[in-house]
């Protein structure tokens, strides 16, 4: 019996060490999972806490705020989703606004404002506008994109690929490459939006 006591104690110690190793491995796995999830959430964040959206002429562009509104044309009953992205700068801001036809699931119109160097050495706001029904007027222009609306959470997701010419500041822009911009790889998700149909329903009550 006396010989059994040391053996039992040794087994207890070995089991305790094994359980401790399992807990350590489990804790390490949980820590790695937390780090992975945190990294995934932060991967689209830039140094100034902006969220990456797309590339403009090959350069990363990120936004600091976003908004969306879905409306219905009273005559045609066509639903339109307008999604806006704004990048706050030390002086002024830049923005990209996308307008989708929800029923056809296509990108219709786009408005872009960017800060660009001018020939006089200053910085000006350059405006880029493209309407889908006038795209044939500019052979260099192109618009494509889709949008998806989650009616339950009021969250929008979508894509866009855009090429637009500058029609307003051509004589002022210092860099020739700013006369035509290409917005590539634009992908967004979980953008909150409001729906004017909700307001109409409230007014009827």
């Amino acid at each position: 019996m006396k010989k059994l006591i040391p053996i039992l104690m040794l087994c207890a110690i070995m089991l305790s060490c094994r359980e401790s190793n399992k807990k350590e491995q489990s804790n390490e796995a949980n820590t790695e999972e937390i780090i992975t999830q945190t990294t995934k959430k932060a991967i689209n964040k830039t140094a100034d806490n902006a969220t990456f959206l797309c590339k403009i002429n090959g350069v990363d562009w990120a936004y600091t705020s976003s908004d969306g509104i879905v409306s219905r044309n009273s005559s045609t009953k066509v639903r339109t989703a307008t999604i806006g992205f704004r990048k706050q700068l030390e002086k002024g801001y830049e923005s990209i606004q996308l307008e989708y036809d929800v029923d056809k699931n296509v990108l219709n119109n786009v408005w872009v404002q960017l800060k660009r160097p001018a020939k006089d050495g200053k910085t000006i706001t350059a405006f880029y506008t493209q309407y889908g029904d006038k795209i044939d007027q500019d052979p260099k222009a192109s618009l494509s994109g889709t949008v998806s609306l989650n009616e339950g959470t009021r969250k929008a997701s979508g894509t866009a690929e855009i090429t637009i010419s500058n029609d307003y500041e051509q004589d002022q822009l210092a860099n020739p490459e700013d006369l035509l911009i290409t917005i590539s790889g634009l992908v967004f998700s979980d953008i909150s939006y409001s729906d004017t149909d909700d307001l109409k329903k409230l007014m009827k009550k």
Side-chain angles (χ1 to χ4, degrees):
M1 184 67 181
K2 290 182 179 180
K3 291 182 178 180
L4 287 175
I5 292 175
I7 294 174
L8 292 173
M9 291 179 64
L10 181 60
C11 290
I13 292 171
M14 291 176 66
L15 287 172
S16 176
C17 291
R18 184 177 297 176
E19 289 299 320
S20 177
N21 287 336
K22 286 183 178 179
K23 288 181 180 179
E24 288 179 2
Q25 291 175 357
S26 177
N27 288 337
E28 288 176 0
N30 290 337
T31 302
E32 288 178 0
E33 178 65 19
I34 291 171
I35 292 172
T36 300
Q37 293 300 327
T38 303
T39 302
K40 285 181 179 179
K41 289 180 180 179
I43 196 167
N44 285 334
K45 293 292 183 180
T46 63
D48 55 358
N49 204 35
T51 302
F52 173 78
L53 180 67
C54 61
K55 287 183 178 292
I56 299 180
N57 285 355
V59 179
D60 289 358
W61 192 88
Y63 64 92
T64 52
S65 63
S66 63
D67 57 54
I69 185 168
V70 175
S71 58
R72 188 186 300 275
N73 187 289
S74 58
S75 300
T76 64
K77 305 302 180 183
V78 173
R79 294 181 77 201
T80 299
T82 304
I83 310 297
F85 303 94
R86 179 174 173 135
K87 180 180 182 180
Q88 190 63 48
L89 305 173
E90 289 185 8
K91 292 184 179 180
Y93 66 91
E94 296 183 335
S95 66
I96 297 176
Q97 186 169 302
L98 310 168
E99 186 178 272
Y100 295 88
D101 183 321
V102 176
D103 301 314
K104 294 182 180 179
N105 195 21
V106 295
L107 177 62
N108 270 352
N109 308 311
V110 60
W111 299 267
V112 180
Q113 294 184 35
L114 300 174
K115 294 295 184 180
R116 289 294 183 258
K119 291 178 179 178
D120 61 4
K122 298 179 180 179
T123 299
I124 61 172
T125 300
F127 295 87
Y128 304 82
T129 303
Q130 185 60 60
Y131 298 99
D133 59 357
K134 295 182 179 180
I135 198 164
D136 293 338
Q137 297 178 9
D138 185 355
K140 297 179 181 178
S142 64
L143 286 180
S144 66
T146 60
V147 68
S148 175
L149 303 179
N150 187 319
E151 305 288 355
T153 61
R154 289 292 189 262
K155 299 286 186 179
S157 303
T159 64
E161 298 287 336
I162 305 160
T163 299
I164 327 173
S165 297
N166 177 275
D167 294 326
Y168 308 103
E169 296 81 26
Q170 292 182 353
D171 295 333
Q172 303 176 55
L173 292 168
N175 300 322
E177 58 266 27
D178 290 331
L179 296 175
L180 181 75
I181 62 169
T182 296
I183 298 174
S184 57
L186 191 155
V187 179
F188 62 88
S189 61
D190 294 329
I191 303 299
S192 298
Y193 70 87
S194 57
D195 196 322
T196 57
D197 281 353
D198 295 338
L199 180 59
K200 293 175 182 177
K201 290 176 183 178
L202 288 174
M203 294 176 66
K204 289 180 179 180
K205 291 183 178 180

